[in-house]
Amino acid sequence: ILFIEFQNEFVSEGGKLHDAVKDVMDETDMLKNAVAIAHAAREKGIKIIHAPIHFSSDGNDNPNKGLGILAGCYNDKLFTLNTWNSEFAPAMKPKQGDIIVNNKRGLDAFPGTDLEQILIDNNIETICLAGFLTNCCVESTMRTAYEKGFNVITLIDCCATTSTDGQKAATHGTFNMFSRPLTSTELLSELNKK
């Protein structure tokens, strides 16, 4: 299971992006669902992987600080390394045995990181995705995983974005094209059969 950007910037009150995603988080109960999935997966011996994003304080490691959402990260000093904002949210802190993806600086969790090597080294053929933003980093990672030949599951109630419309467009639109969308309850049911 790959948990994307479960960091204070999004998850916790006081995070600069929390208010933007709070409504969708509440609608889907995504944090509670993600915690339940992480717990159940660990009990079944399924690898938990975390993909945080962070940037240096001067933003020189931001790959596109002049355009789009990454410009927003640069201009608003989001996910600054070694700050509370970039730390894992308390409910989703990695536990012993979890794996942390290194060097995520863009939207997709593959480019410039060790994610693909982690998946290969651990003989992982199916990857379940959860996190932020549904229609950005989760969707970008989903598309690349699919293109690379991985079986992709997207956990539709373990993701959040900035609007209900954006959430619905991703989870009921593009997710069906590049993954097998499931609710956390559906995945838990499948895990309990194993």
Side-chain angles (χ1 to χ4, degrees), residues 135-150:
N135 56 352
C136 186
C137 297
V138 175
E139 185 170 319
S140 296
T141 303
M142 169 193 69
R143 289 171 181 253
T144 299
Y146 174 83
E147 292 284 351
K148 289 182 174 287
F150 292 98

Side-chain angles (χ1 to χ4, degrees), residues 9-98:
E9 198 78 271
F10 280 128
V11 177
S12 302
E13 193 168 321
K16 293 177 188 174
L17 297 174
H18 179 69
D19 287 345
V21 297
K22 183 181 183 326
D23 288 346
V24 174
M25 286 180 68
D26 291 345
E27 286 170 21
T28 62
D29 215 4
M30 65 88 71
L31 184 57
K32 183 181 119 211
N33 294 335
V35 169
I37 288 291
H39 178 74
R42 286 184 186 106
E43 283 190 343
K44 296 286 186 182
I46 295 169
K47 288 283 182 203
I48 301 295
I49 305 168
H50 302 270
I53 189 170
H54 50 76
F55 303 101
S56 62
S57 58
D58 63 5
N60 70 0
D61 52 355
N62 183 321
N64 205 342
K65 58 186 167 225
L67 181 66
I69 196 166
L70 289 173
C73 289
Y74 176 74
N75 294 330
D76 296 334
K77 302 272 187 224
L78 303 176
F79 301 101
T80 302
L81 188 62
N82 299 321
T83 65
W84 172 86
N85 299 67
S86 71
E87 291 175 5
F88 289 104
M92 290 297 291
K93 282 193 178 188
K95 304 233 188 278
Q96 184 174 357
D98 290 0

Side-chain angles (χ1 to χ4, degrees), residues 156 167-176 181:
I156 62 174
Q167 179 81 2
K168 192 173 286 185
T171 59
H172 293 87
T174 54
F175 277 19
N176 287 306

